[in-house]
Amino acid sequence: MSLNPVNGKYGKYGGRFVPETLMAAIKELEESYIQIKEDPEFKIELEYYLSEYAGRPTPLYYAENLTRKVGGPKIYLKREDLLHGGAHKINNTLGQALLAKRLGKERVIAETGAGQHGVATAIACAALGLKAEIYMGSEDMERQALNVFRMRMLGAEVHPVDSGSRTLKDAINESFRDWTANVETTYYLIGSVVGSHPYPMMVRDFQSVIGKETREQIHKKEKKLPDALVACVGGGSNAIGIFYPFLGDEEVMLYGVEAGGSGISTGKHAASLCGGEEGVFHGMLTYVLQDSDGQIQTTHSISAGLDYPGVGPEHSLLKAEGRVKYATVNDDDAVQAFLELSRTEGIVPALEPSHAIAYSIELGKTMRKDQIIVVNLSGRGDKDVRTISNHLERGEKDEKD
Amino acid sequence: MRRIEEVFRKLRKKGDGALIAYVTGGDPEPKWTAKIVEELIRNGADLVELGIPFSDPVADGPTIQAASTRALESGVTPRDVLHIAREVRERFSTPLVILTYYNPIFRMGVQKFFELAEECGIDGIVVPDLPIEEAKEYKKIAEAHSINTIFLAAPSTSSNRLQKIIKYSSGFLYLVALYGTTGARKDLQDSTVQLIGRLLSYTKGQINLAVGFGISKPSHVKTILESGADGVIVGSAFVKVIEENLDDQQQMLQKLGKLTKELKKATLKP
């Protein structure tokens, strides 16, 4: 079982593969973080913002209608979609923004793909009086125009990134470049359990509040541990957040669901763990989607939040150890699950956790009625309504053709 | 193994500095690269750094990013770039250094990469995203293949860490002149001169010191060398010439030659 990284490594994964200019900052960040996170004042402050501002704890909701429909185990939903901002992202941005403030940095930069982490960063920075600048691929800015407006309304500056594939990975590249130039004054607020050490550890720590609550809540409701936890994996922050407090409970099966896009065999997907190979990218050794020369490949998923060619290094270790089973769900099945949950429970999930819902429905068919599944419903689906309707229209058109 | 040190030694004896010229392999097309490199050498480049393009060059500014994109679009592979170096090696004894990010090396396999590099007459390797902490095995393998490991030092590098980096480095130490990515800058920062001064007390008698990032003009070169560095690395300024002359190969080579001459002149003992 993986716990804290040794020398920045989870087994052989992780590390600090960054330009020399950033090494001092990364080591300083690690040292400060280890001190500050144990500081009672910091803990109280973070807890205050999480409960009073973001809306924690989130409910663990028994999805009775969906359970009946599947006809198998009890399905519970961890309702991270009810958080301020509409996703689990704020657990991390509040934590890191408070840390940035402690470190005396007034300027915060962040990357965003779909815009969820950008919005969560803009929110945290507005609340804490920090200046936020967000890098976003120009292609993503077109696809997620609404979130661009939201960030700007929240007072953040949004910088379009025109290099490379003009998506999330390029936004991360550009954030690294900015940080390299302004490392003395700027805090880089990474949105997932990726990047150089200590980011994967920090983001996991801030997100593991999801799993801690789930543990208490399920114990209260069912007087036992769940049989399975299911979460979607892009970079992997919501998954590690719910898994982490359960890693030692061998009887709890853990499932991480990656974006299968049009199907692994088509090459159009974003499943780094299921369809990639080991590589070094964005500061870490991990599973990466790459070609035979080590060039990073562009990804495809209907869900912009999973559209990333790497994955957190701790997931790579959990895969190697066999502690977590990683699988994929295709675009079409995720859309079906999106509709299914919306109709049966009146809950519109984001496209990202729709992958986890789809997997849970299938998994449920193989389990007994006295068993329990918890799905991490990491975000709400308002942002995806247009994508879904476009997808359905295209499907109808294809059928007519 | 000694080719790089030999060049620095000879130049120092004369009181000159080294001009290290960088271009990206395969930019704009693989078949041009050997000609470009040879033009740089013929006009006075003392060492040539040849880049293996990477899809996500986080340490590079817009100019070299664009070169990487052009090179990758041309279909050039890491093996191709090494083979181009071999072509140059057959005609020139100038030290050749490969610059790339770690993933292309990792993907090929560190062992295999150094075998091929040695076979192609490569003298040194620079990997901007491989810090010494991750480079133990890498260094061992490089040494076994008689290839210099050139590590980077930055303005933020502490003295303590600098000493470790020097121990890991051979050939020369690559000093990053400023906070930021590669790319031509109009002026040299005063802090760069101070930085060189700070480093010299550690590098003197230990390792050659070459300075890169933001250096594009003869006046920059002069200042850097007067501050005590042994060499300068110029990249984006050369790449810019390539970018501005994509349609006219003759003119491109001519202008590259001219820039090399101007910069080389600035490295000579006054």
Side-chain angles (χ1 to χ4, degrees):
Chain A
M1 192 193 84
S2 64
L3 273 170
N4 273 326
V6 179
N7 230 335
K9 292 268 173 83
Y10 304 84
K12 65 173 167 176
Y13 303 104
R16 303 179 185 89
F17 295 88
V18 294
E20 179 59 26
T21 306
L22 294 177
M23 281 306 281
I26 274 169
K27 291 199 167 169
E28 188 204 322
L29 176 60
E30 179 186 351
E31 281 163 24
S32 316
Y33 169 68
I34 287 171
Q35 275 185 3
I36 292 171
K37 77 168 178 174
E38 300 302 340
D39 176 357
E41 247 177 72
F42 178 79
K43 283 186 188 172
I44 290 168
E45 210 178 358
L46 177 58
E47 227 160 88
Y48 171 81
Y49 276 100
L50 287 177
S51 61
E52 300 295 315
Y53 182 72
R56 298 215 75 89
T58 59
L60 182 67
Y61 177 69
Y62 172 38
E64 202 174 349
N65 299 340
L66 183 65
T67 297
R68 208 176 306 123
K69 197 146 183 205
V70 174
K74 274 184 157 178
I75 300 174
Y76 279 89
L77 305 174
K78 181 59 176 163
R79 297 289 309 274
E80 294 296 292
D81 60 315
L82 294 176
L83 284 171
H84 179 39
H88 74 292
K89 293 287 183 190
I90 196 151
N91 301 327
N92 169 47
T93 58
L94 282 172
Q96 285 199 60
L98 282 168
L99 182 62
K101 225 174 156 176
R102 281 289 185 104
L103 295 172
K105 313 269 180 177
E106 283 170 7
R107 177 175 181 261
V108 169
I109 55 169
E111 80 292 341
T112 197
Q116 292 304 100
H117 173 57
V119 168
T121 301
I123 288 172
C125 287
L128 297 172
L130 298 162
K131 180 173 170 25
E133 294 184 34
I134 314 292
Y135 286 96
M136 188 170 187
S138 50
E139 168 112 12
D140 286 337
M141 284 178 75
E142 275 169 40
R143 289 195 288 191
Q144 306 284 340
L146 204 63
N147 271 341
V148 177
F149 289 129
R150 283 174 84 193
M151 287 184 271
R152 286 182 174 149
M153 276 188 292
L154 289 159
E157 214 175 306
V158 183
H159 301 296
V161 177
D162 279 317
S163 56
S165 59
R166 304 190 296 138
T167 60
L168 176 59
K169 83 175 172 74
D170 309 286
I172 295 181
N173 293 344
E174 214 47 45
S175 303
F176 267 114
R177 291 181 187 121
D178 180 315
W179 201 32
T180 307
N182 302 296
V183 63
E184 291 171 303
T185 58
T186 297
Y187 184 90
Y188 179 19
L189 205 166
I190 293 186
S192 190
V193 286
V194 299
S196 162
H197 181 66
Y199 283 103
M201 176 178 79
M202 283 197 317
V203 178
R204 177 202 69 196
D205 290 353
F206 289 132
Q207 290 296 358
S208 61
V209 66
I210 305 172
K212 279 181 211 152
E213 279 177 15
T214 302
R215 231 186 134 83
E216 281 171 26
Q217 290 166 322
I218 200 74
H219 188 75
K220 238 186 196 162
K221 288 176 203 284
E222 299 282 350
K223 304 276 174 284
K224 61 174 185 174
L225 290 172
D227 296 280
L229 296 178
V230 184
C232 63
V233 177
S237 71
N238 89 81
I240 213 85
I242 195 164
F243 292 165
Y244 190 62
F246 292 91
L247 285 179
D249 306 306
E250 304 239 326
E251 66 271 35
V252 182
M253 299 289 290
L254 306 175
Y255 298 92
V257 186
E258 294 193 296
S262 311
I264 293 278
S265 59
T266 64
K268 290 179 82 179
H269 60 85
S272 311
L273 289 162
C274 296
E277 278 161 287
E278 289 171 4
V280 175
F281 178 52
H282 284 160
M284 54 182 170
L285 199 170
T286 191
Y287 276 82
V288 171
L289 294 173
Q290 55 184 326
D291 69 12
S292 56
D293 292 324
Q295 307 297 348
I296 307 305
Q297 287 180 316
T298 51
T299 49
H300 169 82
S301 169
I302 189 168
S303 142
L306 302 180
D307 222 346
Y308 179 64
V311 67
E314 195 165 6
H315 284 291
S316 292
L317 177 62
L318 292 168
K319 175 188 156 93
E321 288 179 336
R323 177 64 187 96
V324 179
K325 183 175 187 288
Y326 294 92
T328 62
V329 160
N330 296 355
D331 287 350
D332 288 340
D333 296 331
V335 170
Q336 282 316 308
F338 177 103
L339 298 171
E340 182 74 31
L341 192 70
S342 301
R343 285 166 192 168
T344 54
E345 296 289 353
I347 295 171
V348 180
L351 266 168
E352 292 79 15
S354 294
H355 288 72
I357 299 286
Y359 189 80
S360 303
I361 291 172
E362 288 308 305
L363 179 68
K365 291 176 186 164
T366 69
M367 288 169 70
R368 295 189 315 269
K369 281 197 167 172
D370 62 338
Q371 291 183 302
I372 298 167
I373 299 181
V374 176
V375 189
N376 194 6
L377 195 62
S378 57
R380 66 172 188 231
D382 310 46
K383 68 180 176 65
D384 297 315
V385 167
R386 211 176 77 181
T387 309
I388 296 280
S389 88
N390 287 347
H391 185 83
L392 294 176
E393 268 172 37
R394 248 197 326 272
E396 278 167 24
K397 216 178 126 217
D398 286 351
E399 267 172 37
K400 277 182 203 153
D401 294 346
Chain B
M1 179 117 186
R2 298 271 154 254
R3 223 180 264 138
I4 294 176
E5 272 146 33
E6 194 58 18
V7 163
F8 274 101
R9 199 183 56 80
K10 277 186 185 157
L11 289 167
R12 194 177 301 122
K13 227 173 158 185
K14 289 196 281 180
D16 298 346
L19 173 64
I20 304 171
Y22 168 89
V23 289
T24 303
D27 172 30
E29 277 181 62
K31 63 179 184 210
W32 293 29
T33 302
K35 276 188 198 147
I36 289 171
V37 171
E38 288 171 15
E39 193 69 15
L40 300 172
I41 293 174
R42 271 197 296 268
N43 287 283
D46 299 299
L47 279 91
V48 173
E49 259 183 37
L50 195 54
I52 292 177
F54 179 53
S55 52
D56 296 80
V58 290
D60 286 302
T63 307
I64 294 181
Q65 284 175 47
S68 306
T69 305
R70 284 194 299 273
L72 289 173
E73 278 169 3
S74 81
V76 79
T77 68
R79 273 165 210 282
D80 294 341
V81 176
L82 290 168
H83 291 153
I84 291 166
R86 177 161 62 194
E87 236 180 276
V88 177
R89 170 59 65 236
E90 282 163 9
R91 291 190 283 274
F92 294 88
S93 63
T94 307
L96 297 173
V97 169
I98 290 287
L99 187 146
T100 189
Y101 289 81
Y102 191 46
N103 201 46
I105 297 177
F106 180 84
R107 182 73 168 148
M108 191 186 287
V110 179
Q111 180 73 38
K112 214 170 181 182
F113 177 85
F114 278 106
E115 273 168 28
L116 188 58
E118 184 183 19
E119 208 186 292
C120 294
I122 301 301
D123 301 290
I125 312 276
V126 186
V127 186
D129 62 345
L130 183 71
I132 51 170
E133 285 84 349
E134 311 287 354
K136 217 170 168 185
E137 220 20 59
Y138 162 93
K139 182 168 170 55
K140 231 196 264 166
I141 297 170
E143 273 168 3
H145 291 276
S146 306
I147 292 176
N148 286 151
T149 49
I150 297 150
F151 283 89
L152 296 97
S156 54
T157 306
S158 68
S159 303
N160 203 348
R161 186 173 165 77
L162 180 62
Q163 285 168 299
K164 287 186 203 154
I165 293 175
I166 290 171
K167 275 195 196 129
Y168 266 80
S169 304
S170 53
F172 63 90
L173 179 70
Y174 189 138
L175 174 61
V176 176
L178 43 77
Y179 283 100
T181 50
T182 60
R185 312 287 205 277
K186 228 173 94 195
D187 301 308
L188 214 56
Q189 297 174 0
D190 294 339
S191 58
T192 300
V193 172
Q194 291 159 14
L195 182 64
I196 294 169
R198 176 164 83 84
L199 257 76
L200 277 175
S201 56
Y202 297 96
T203 55
K204 232 170 186 145
Q206 297 287 320
I207 192 158
N208 301 301
L209 179 65
V211 184
F213 281 48
I215 298 161
S216 60
K217 296 177 186 171
S219 61
H220 300 164
V221 172
K222 277 203 173 118
T223 311
I224 297 281
L225 295 175
E226 277 163 14
S227 311
D230 303 294
V232 293
I233 304 153
V234 179
S236 295
F238 287 113
V239 171
K240 198 87 201 162
V241 172
I242 295 176
E243 183 180 285
E244 285 167 355
N245 295 281
L246 289 172
D247 306 327
D248 188 340
Q249 193 183 9
Q250 259 344 90
Q251 191 170 299
M252 179 195 293
L253 292 174
Q254 220 173 43
K255 287 193 172 170
L256 284 170
K258 187 165 165 267
L259 178 62
T260 313
K261 268 189 193 137
E262 283 167 16
L263 293 167
K264 181 57 211 170
K265 210 173 137 201
T267 69
L268 301 178
K269 189 180 172 183

